[in-house]
Amino acid sequence: MAEDRVFRNHPSVILRNVVSACLFIGLVVLLNIGSMTEGEEGGWEIYVLVVLVAVAAVVAILSFYFWRKTTYTFTSEEIIIRVDTTFKKENRIQYSKLASVNVRRNIFNHLFGTSMLMFNVNSSVNAQAAEGALTLRKDVADRLRDELNSMIFQKEITLDEDLQIPTAIHISNLDVILHGFLAQPTVSSIFGLLATIYAIVMIFMGSSGGIISALFLFFIGEVIPIVTSILKYYNYRIYRVDDTITIECGMINNYRSSFKINKVNSVRIREPLLARAFHMATLEAEVVGLAGEEAIPILCPLKRRSEVEALFRNITPEFCDDDMAPIHQPRAALVPLIIGQGLLAVVVVPLLFMLYRVLFVELSEYDGFIADLVSFGIIAAILVSILLMVGYVGLAQSHRMFARGKDLFLFVHGSFDLNTEYIMYDKVQCTCVTSGLIARRFGLSRCTVNLMSSMGFKQVVSGYFGTEDLESVGDEVVARIVDGRYDYRRFY
């Protein structure tokens, strides 16, 4: 940049803060409206209105004050964020350290014709938050992002030219809807099912408070994640130009994110149990310096496994190694798996039986149908728990694999939900090979790989394999450093 330029956030951020605060206060009032009106003849409406007006006024004054005192200065070498309030703060972000400049457009941005630029660096104490966020008029934000991208990614392509590049895989909105329903982790799906059963039981028992609690749990655990996922990945497209991958998506909040391939530490093919039944999977990546809404970027929402693998080879060929020969978890691994689930059963089954006895006494005053319904539910929970434990052992033993390649290695881990993880040796921070009392007798261990991820820090744990095989991963990481094959300059 030829000369220093100073920006402030668009004034619409003041209104956004006021509306957000009023919505929060309104939600609190709505949740407590029953206790507020109890024993009152009237007048509480005026009290609520006065509180809302007072809150809006205070938030507006504070927002205006911080808006005036916060500036973003773009020099030839860095971004300087200054907050000149009672507590002064100055944050300097060098262009050489920028990993990405993401764009987000929510309802307020659409209404006022603005865009929010989010500046992310290669690493941070809080990897889930951008180091800076600046809201500008859309045309100004687009020009500024183009300039920054030309420095980060060494490409002169503009945003308008970016939009003309075809997507690397066709993702229909029907695919996105299926992704919202089928790509949820199995644990979330089970939680939603239990909340639904709980709500049905509360309906039969005539407990209005229980119904509200159950519906709240159901919406939190099932409905909200599904709706959020659909809104987030609607109109999805992904493409790659040279060594830069760009993702665009969003129905209400539009999101555009670009990152270089050398910021990707691992690529994961994820197969939730429900999706695996239809031979479908998702493609994800761990990208350092990609904070914000798209913390763990989805390179491909739920599609057929064959299509996901084709995109994997096309969009991230650096993580493909056809010479790797995966080995399955040895049969001896069944012993520690069965013993581990057996110990879990010793704890879970008695607890459920005790719950059954307590509820049997508590429900003795209800009619036979309700008591029978609850009794059947507890017995079913005991049987399902045992089946889940048996299924966990069977699926883990059938699918877990390990493979080593020239520049990367492979872990297939999980049980009900499978993850096929491709990890580069040069991105590993450290490895830890552990062997329990039972596994040690069979020469088996598990390997924990630590690496930086989109969320800051991540651990990937393998299945049970030969101790020497797993120790070879750490040995290779060190060997690449010693003989010079590891070159840190490739990742900056």
Side-chain angles (χ1 to χ4, degrees):
M1 296 186 180
E3 58 183 20
D4 294 358
R5 287 180 289 176
V6 180
F7 294 95
R8 282 191 178 87
N9 278 303
H10 192 272
S12 61
V13 298
I14 300 174
L15 180 61
R16 182 192 65 195
N17 293 337
V18 172
V19 172
S20 299
C22 289
L23 288 176
F24 175 76
I25 297 297
L27 179 61
V28 173
V29 171
L30 186 62
L31 293 176
N32 294 276
I33 193 170
S35 60
M36 293 177 61
T37 57
E38 185 177 354
E40 296 287 340
E41 296 183 357
W44 62 271
E45 298 92 344
I46 298 177
Y47 169 76
V48 171
L49 182 61
V50 170
V51 170
L52 286 176
V53 171
V55 169
V58 171
V59 172
I61 293 172
L62 291 176
S63 296
F64 178 79
Y65 176 67
F66 280 96
W67 174 78
R68 286 289 299 173
K69 296 294 184 177
T70 303
T71 59
Y72 292 74
T73 303
F74 292 81
T75 70
S76 58
E77 297 180 351
E78 61 185 358
I79 305 171
I80 305 173
I81 305 174
R82 290 193 179 93
V83 181
D84 190 17
T85 58
T86 304
F87 301 96
K88 301 182 184 299
K89 178 183 176 182
E90 183 174 284
N91 187 15
R92 294 175 177 266
I93 307 173
Q94 295 180 354
Y95 298 132
S96 59
K97 298 296 183 182
L98 274 176
S100 62
V101 180
N102 300 328
V103 179
R104 187 175 67 185
R105 302 195 74 214
N106 56 29
I107 295 177
F108 279 95
N109 296 125
H110 285 288
L111 288 175
F112 292 96
T114 60
S115 293
M116 179 187 293
L117 299 179
M118 296 182 293
F119 310 109
N120 308 304
V121 299
N122 294 336
S123 61
S124 173
V125 174
N126 182 10
Q128 301 183 38
E131 276 62 41
L134 175 61
T135 300
L136 298 171
R137 221 175 56 232
K138 184 177 182 301
D139 57 336
V140 178
D142 290 343
R143 287 197 302 270
L144 182 58
R145 181 177 183 268
D146 287 341
E147 292 181 36
L148 294 174
N149 278 348
S150 66
M151 291 185 286
I152 300 173
F153 306 119
Q154 288 82 46
K155 64 174 188 175
E156 299 299 330
I157 187 171
T158 65
L159 177 60
D160 292 335
E161 294 171 330
D162 254 356
L163 297 176
Q164 303 304 317
I165 299 174
T167 181
I169 185 172
H170 175 66
I171 303 294
S172 68
N173 289 329
L174 177 60
D175 293 327
V176 173
I177 294 173
L178 289 176
H179 176 87
F181 281 94
L182 301 181
Q184 299 300 320
T186 300
V187 173
S188 299
S189 300
I190 293 176
F191 181 82
L193 178 62
L194 293 177
T196 304
I197 295 173
Y198 179 51
I200 294 173
V201 172
M202 291 300 103
I203 291 174
F204 281 109
M205 295 182 64
S207 173
S208 59
I211 294 173
I212 294 174
S213 300
L215 290 177
F216 177 77
L217 292 174
F218 176 71
F219 274 93
I220 292 295
E222 190 74 10
V223 176
I224 292 179
I226 290 174
V227 173
T228 301
S229 176
I230 293 173
L231 294 178
K232 182 177 181 180
Y233 296 113
Y234 214 73
N235 297 325
Y236 183 93
R237 63 190 298 261
I238 180 173
Y239 53 91
R240 177 170 174 171
V241 177
D242 298 328
D243 63 347
T244 302
I245 298 173
T246 300
I247 297 173
E248 298 175 0
C249 55
M251 176 186 289
I252 298 175
N253 289 357
N254 302 131
Y255 190 84
R256 184 185 303 111
S257 176
S258 297
F259 53 89
K260 299 179 74 171
I261 189 64
N262 62 8
K263 303 301 180 187
V264 180
N265 283 0
S266 70
V267 179
R268 179 188 315 113
I269 298 177
R270 187 171 65 88
E271 301 173 87
L273 180 64
L274 203 56
R276 195 160 76 248
F278 297 94
H279 305 287
M280 305 181 80
T282 67
L283 185 64
E284 303 175 351
E286 294 293 351
V287 184
V288 177
L290 194 68
E293 189 173 320
E294 185 65 12
I296 302 180
I298 299 289
L299 302 185
C300 181
L302 202 65
K303 293 285 286 186
R304 299 285 295 183
R305 171 71 191 242
S306 58
E307 296 181 69
V308 171
E309 289 179 345
L311 178 66
F312 167 61
R313 295 178 178 278
N314 179 31
I315 207 77
T316 55
E318 293 83 355
F319 287 83
C320 298
D321 188 345
D322 295 329
D323 295 330
M324 285 195 300
I327 58 174
H328 284 272
Q329 190 168 255
R331 187 181 296 272
L334 279 170
V335 178
L337 283 173
I338 292 174
I339 292 177
Q341 293 302 302
L343 293 175
L344 181 62
V346 169
V347 176
V348 172
V349 173
L351 285 177
L352 289 174
F353 183 74
M354 291 171 59
L355 178 63
Y356 167 76
R357 297 294 299 174
V358 171
L359 289 178
F360 184 81
V361 175
E362 292 291 332
L363 296 173
S364 58
E365 61 186 65
Y366 290 90
D367 59 55
F369 174 74
I370 294 178
D372 292 342
L373 180 64
V374 174
S375 299
F376 173 78
I378 298 296
I379 294 173
I382 294 175
L383 295 176
V384 169
S385 298
I386 295 174
L387 289 175
L388 287 175
M389 294 173 191
V390 173
Y392 175 88
V393 173
L395 292 173
Q397 181 63 23
S398 299
H399 297 290
R400 290 180 179 177
M401 291 186 290
F402 165 64
R404 285 189 53 198
K406 179 182 177 182
D407 297 314
L408 52 92
F409 59 97
L410 163 71
F411 280 165
V412 179
H413 57 97
S415 178
F416 295 106
D417 295 350
L418 282 184
N419 294 303
T420 303
E421 197 110 17
Y422 298 84
I423 307 172
M424 283 192 171
Y425 292 115
D426 293 342
K427 300 301 184 76
V428 174
Q429 290 188 315
C430 66
T431 63
C432 180
V433 178
T434 57
S435 183
L437 180 63
I438 304 300
R440 194 182 312 142
R441 293 181 175 272
F442 298 91
L444 301 176
S445 297
R446 304 183 75 179
C447 180
T448 301
V449 175
N450 301 277
L451 67 158
M452 293 298 294
S453 73
S454 307
M455 305 298 286
F457 180 75
K458 182 179 179 63
Q459 290 185 329
V460 182
V461 183
S462 73
Y464 289 98
F465 296 94
T467 302
E468 292 183 0
D469 292 333
L470 294 178
E471 287 179 343
S472 66
V473 174
D475 294 340
E476 179 66 15
V477 172
V478 175
R480 294 176 66 88
I481 297 174
V482 173
D483 62 26
R485 282 177 293 166
Y486 169 75
D487 184 0
Y488 73 92
R489 289 169 295 186
R490 289 185 300 162
F491 309 121
Y492 290 92

